[in-house]
Amino acid sequence: MSKINIKVWPSYVGCFWAVIYAVFVRFYQAAGGSIGLPGRLAEPEGFQMASYIAGVVVMIAGFYLLGLVKPWGRTVPSWMPLISGKDVHPLLLLVPTLIGCAFAIAHGVSGIVTKILHLAGIITIQISGWIELDVRRLVLWDLLVYEPWFIVMGILAGMAAWNYAKETTFLHPFLRRSAILYVCLIILLTALFVSAIIFDFLKF
């Protein structure tokens, strides 16, 4: 497979963005850190394990973005038995990246919208799993830290996927039309997320 000339910075920045969140938020909380947790959890051990798993998933997602620009994302490395040296099909990298991008953007945008609605008193968010909780502080933390992280991560993943797709020859005939449909999918997914949350918490 010929060498791909690709704009690499979204992949590198996306990986860095993922590692920062995984280490300084998820792994920190998994180790018992309390910043961003304004209250007492009912089952701290379960939360810590969930944070650790989330951190691992985010870390993997970050390094997955590197696969879009690194040689090992195009040809299976020699240290992998049976399949070493084989070409990696572009869709094996592109499809998961696009799924992650759509989820991250929809999660972040819907989270910001619903948190603003909560602060405005239009809906009331009930959060289980806590013995004591300052809901307003948690909502503000989500609004200012977590949800913006998801949006930025989604944008970086989308940019990395777009650059990769432009350098993948067989995708060229479908690129523009697919991009429009994909943006529509993100908008629809975001609307569904917002609608589901509002339906659960709307004051009647």
Side-chain angles (χ1 to χ4, degrees), residues 106-181:
H107 186 293
V109 173
S110 62
I112 286 176
V113 170
T114 53
K115 299 306 188 300
I116 290 174
L117 291 176
H118 172 82
L119 293 175
I122 298 174
I123 64 174
T124 300
I125 297 178
Q126 303 292 337
I127 305 174
S128 60
W130 296 79
I131 298 173
E132 297 177 1
L133 176 63
D134 186 332
V135 176
R136 181 179 176 82
R137 284 180 57 196
L138 185 63
V139 166
L140 287 173
W141 184 267
D142 283 354
L143 188 61
L144 299 176
V145 179
Y146 291 144
E147 309 304 358
W149 179 88
F150 275 102
I151 293 175
V152 172
M153 188 67 201
I155 292 172
L156 291 170
M159 293 174 65
W162 174 256
N163 288 336
Y164 182 80
K166 285 197 301 182
E167 299 296 333
T168 305
T169 305
F170 81 89
L171 291 175
H172 286 177
F174 315 101
L175 201 57
R176 187 176 299 275
R177 182 180 301 176
S178 299
I180 294 173
L181 291 174

Side-chain angles (χ1 to χ4, degrees), residues 4 6-8 11 63-74 90 92-95 97 156-157 159-165:
I4 297 177
I6 192 171
K7 295 179 181 178
V8 300
S11 292
F63 284 104
Y64 205 88
L65 291 183
L66 288 183
L68 299 175
V69 297
K70 288 291 190 180
W72 50 263
R74 297 189 289 273
L92 291 177
L93 291 171
L94 194 58
V95 171
T97 301
L156 291 170
M159 293 174 65
W162 174 256
N163 288 336
Y164 182 80

Side-chain angles (χ1 to χ4, degrees), residues 9-67:
W9 75 264
S11 292
Y12 282 101
V13 175
C15 181
F16 175 77
W17 193 246
V19 170
I20 288 296
Y21 179 79
V23 172
F24 292 102
V25 176
R26 289 306 179 186
F27 292 159
Y28 163 78
Q29 292 178 347
S34 60
I35 296 176
L37 303 175
R40 286 198 301 135
L41 288 158
E43 297 182 5
E45 294 83 4
F47 175 83
Q48 290 167 6
M49 178 56 67
S51 291
Y52 175 76
I53 294 172
V56 171
V57 171
V58 170
M59 188 84 76
I60 292 173
F63 284 104
Y64 205 88
L65 291 183
L66 288 183

